[in-house]
Amino acid sequence: MSRVVAGLGLALALAVPAGAQETGDTLVLSLDDALAIAQGANPAVLRAENDLGLNGPETRSTWFGQVLPNVNLNLLSTGYRGNLQRQAFDNLQRPIENPDATWIYTSNTQQGLGLNWNIQGLSFFNARNRQAQANAQRELALLGAQAALGTDVHRQYWDALEQQELLEVELALADARQRDLEAADRLYSLARATRVDVLQAELALEQQRSTIQQQRSAYEQALLTLRTTLGDTELPPIRPQSESIPVFDPTGLDEAALVSRALGDNPQVRTQEAGVEGARIGVAEATDWKWPSISVNYNWYQYRQTQEAEALFDLGYDPDRVQSSFSVQVGLPFFNNYFQNKSQEAQARVALDNQQESLKETRLQTEQEVRSQLITLRNQRETLRLAERSFDIAEEALRLAREEYRIGSRTFEQLQDAVEQETTARRQVITSRYGFVDALIALESAVGGPVRPGAGG
């Protein structure tokens, strides 16, 4: 009886649910909550958002530095200087000492505006296109980071729920082991079971305790991984809220339609397409040397110089002091560094060809990934169906085995076999259910959007 009491205390300790060990400030997260927190705190996404902030300044820099004419504005340039002429010249222009050496003071003020525009071929169009392509790549990088983060949060959130559910199974099994110990002890007291049965029941309960500790550790590791991905250092302890597991029959999914969507929406495909566009711009830039170069200059300024300090800080406008100039220069740099330019052009064309091949490779890999993940998803659905059927059989067999053991028609070893089979079947149902979710997440990641019934996109 002392062993029974000890076993009962142990079972009660093991049966404390994980939620009962949480502090009062534990944050219960839904999947939507987790996604919202991650999008606002994950470092990878925040870095991509920070990079996106360069689009505006760089675009303005490109337009005013490479597309539009350069503007040089001189609002004020003024000065004052004195000069002492110590040397003079005689009638034969020989230098002599100046008998009337005096200081001569002058002042001047200048203001002006200059416009300069240097182009070669379509260089200003190429600069504009290159900047637009750089902006688009940053936007794609942000979308890719957000998509990858969404995939990670979904997978880790469901993994935490899976480990929590497996922990609940182990806790329930500990309770069942306790009942088996009580039954074995009662039968032993009636001389219908041996002392070995009682010891084996106690051993099974102790082994289950170790299993619970391992599973609790796996659950805590899953929570830690999810918390790290969320990226919010101010979060209290978290616990995922139970969600409806998105299990459905995937046989109705159109494989060709999914592949078509993936070739247009998959982040890796879109990134490679942007790379091809960048390589095309590189070819255009590498052929600018074949075009004439044009330099257009216009200058307007007014200048005044007087004796003493009269012109110092003279900001008045006087048409008589205004001067302007305009010039256009056209060059043909076709033969300048001819072979070097041809080499750079060839390199740009090879880079474009390689980018196109990389795009082709990425599209093939994406199509393979979509088809493969769809096969996996359908197999997981069938695996889940078989696991649920096996569990129903094992559950009924265990119920009958317990009744037979209580009336003495089944040995303890036979009962434990039935318990193990039922527990294994129960675990397989859980792992198969969440395995379906993992396959669904992988398929949606390959497609670049949700595919489950009722989901947008």
Side-chain angles (χ1 to χ4, degrees):
M1 181 59 67
S2 62
R3 289 190 177 89
V4 174
V5 174
L8 179 59
L10 175 61
L12 290 175
L14 293 176
V16 176
Q21 301 176 5
E22 298 167 352
T23 60
D25 60 349
T26 297
L27 178 62
V28 180
L29 288 176
S30 68
L31 180 56
D32 291 339
D33 293 337
L35 290 170
I37 292 173
Q39 294 293 346
N42 182 267
V45 171
L46 294 182
R47 284 196 300 269
E49 290 179 351
N50 293 338
D51 291 340
L52 195 63
L54 294 174
N55 284 4
E58 287 191 1
T59 298
R60 290 188 291 271
S61 175
T62 298
W63 273 92
F64 289 99
Q66 301 181 55
V67 178
L68 299 176
N70 294 323
V71 179
N72 297 311
L73 180 62
N74 179 14
L75 292 177
L76 174 64
S77 178
T78 188
Y80 178 79
R81 62 176 296 181
N83 184 27
L84 178 62
Q85 296 291 335
R86 298 181 180 275
Q87 191 179 63
F89 297 91
D90 60 13
N91 293 333
L92 298 177
Q93 296 300 312
R94 292 175 297 186
I96 62 174
E97 184 178 354
N98 187 359
D100 298 324
T102 59
W103 284 92
I104 299 175
Y105 296 96
T106 61
S107 61
N108 65 81
T109 294
Q110 180 176 337
Q111 299 161 293
L113 173 66
L115 300 177
N116 177 265
W117 196 28
N118 295 315
I119 61 173
Q120 184 171 355
L122 303 177
S123 60
F124 57 96
F125 285 116
N126 293 334
R128 182 199 63 183
N129 294 338
R130 172 64 69 186
Q131 185 59 52
Q133 196 261 349
N135 294 346
Q137 283 190 321
R138 291 195 186 98
E139 293 173 356
L140 286 177
L142 176 58
L143 293 176
Q146 291 173 337
L149 177 62
T151 298
D152 289 343
V153 171
H154 275 87
R155 182 174 288 115
Q156 293 165 12
Y157 187 91
W158 290 114
D159 181 58
L161 285 179
E162 178 183 8
Q163 300 306 320
Q164 184 183 41
E165 195 167 339
L166 288 172
L167 178 58
E168 292 171 356
V169 168
E170 301 303 336
L171 292 171
L173 180 57
D175 184 65
R177 296 290 192 192
Q178 174 62 37
R179 292 195 301 270
D180 291 341
L181 174 59
E182 294 172 359
D185 192 79
R186 183 172 57 255
L187 292 175
Y188 174 66
S189 66
L190 298 175
R192 297 172 59 184
T194 67
R195 178 67 177 160
V196 175
D197 290 349
V198 177
L199 293 174
Q200 287 181 336
E202 291 181 358
L203 176 62
L205 187 57
E206 290 293 335
Q207 291 174 337
Q208 185 59 27
R209 179 184 183 183
S210 176
T211 302
I212 288 175
Q213 294 302 326
Q214 294 175 4
Q215 185 56 46
R216 180 172 285 118
S217 175
Y219 174 55
E220 291 173 352
Q221 290 286 354
L223 289 180
L224 178 60
T225 300
L226 175 60
R227 180 188 178 88
T228 302
T229 300
L230 296 182
D232 189 344
T233 58
E234 302 299 325
L235 279 180
I238 63 173
R239 177 169 63 85
Q241 175 181 303
S242 297
E243 299 271 349
S244 177
I245 300 179
V247 175
F248 61 94
D249 185 2
T251 56
L253 294 177
D254 188 336
E255 183 174 333
L258 293 179
V259 170
S260 178
R261 277 184 57 193
L263 297 181
D265 297 341
N266 184 279
Q268 294 181 352
V269 173
R270 296 180 64 183
T271 299
Q272 287 294 337
E273 289 174 342
V276 170
E277 181 60 27
R280 287 198 181 97
I281 297 174
V283 171
E285 293 171 334
T287 56
D288 277 341
W289 64 277
K290 297 179 179 179
W291 293 79
S293 63
I294 301 176
S295 179
V296 180
N297 294 276
Y298 173 77
N299 291 283
W300 176 97
Y301 64 94
Q302 65 172 359
Y303 180 81
R304 183 188 183 193
Q305 181 173 346
T306 64
Q307 298 292 330
E308 301 300 330
E310 294 180 9
L312 192 64
F313 293 103
D314 185 359
L315 302 179
Y317 173 73
D318 186 350
D320 295 334
R321 290 183 283 165
V322 172
Q323 300 183 40
S324 63
S325 64
F326 176 78
S327 65
V328 176
Q329 294 180 346
V330 179
L332 295 175
F334 184 82
F335 296 104
N336 298 342
N337 300 320
Y338 178 82
F339 292 103
Q340 181 180 355
N341 292 334
K342 289 292 290 184
S343 175
Q344 292 176 350
E345 181 182 349
Q347 292 175 8
R349 294 190 184 279
V350 169
L352 174 59
D353 292 339
N354 288 340
Q355 283 288 347
Q356 290 174 333
E357 292 302 321
S358 296
L359 173 60
K360 176 183 176 182
E361 181 181 33
T362 301
R363 291 170 67 90
L364 289 173
Q365 291 174 346
T366 299
E367 180 177 353
Q368 176 190 5
E369 181 70 10
V370 170
R371 296 184 187 277
S372 175
Q373 294 299 338
L374 182 58
I375 292 173
T376 301
L377 183 66
R378 289 170 175 169
N379 287 339
Q380 281 296 135
R381 183 65 184 91
E382 180 63 16
T383 299
L384 175 58
R385 187 189 68 81
L386 295 175
E388 290 174 339
R389 176 57 181 160
S390 297
F391 174 67
D392 291 340
I393 296 173
E395 189 177 34
E396 178 64 15
L398 177 59
R399 185 185 66 80
L400 297 176
R402 290 190 188 282
E403 292 179 359
E404 292 176 359
Y405 178 70
R406 290 189 182 97
I407 63 177
S409 62
R410 179 175 290 267
T411 65
F412 185 79
E413 291 82 0
Q414 292 173 331
L415 172 62
Q416 294 308 298
D417 289 341
V419 170
E420 290 295 336
Q421 291 174 357
E422 191 271 348
T423 303
T424 299
R426 187 186 296 271
R427 294 192 189 106
Q428 287 177 345
V429 169
I430 295 174
T431 56
S432 297
R433 187 182 300 122
Y434 286 98
F436 179 89
V437 175
D438 287 340
L440 175 61
I441 293 172
L443 176 60
E444 292 182 336
S445 176
V447 172
V451 302
R452 67 196 73 176

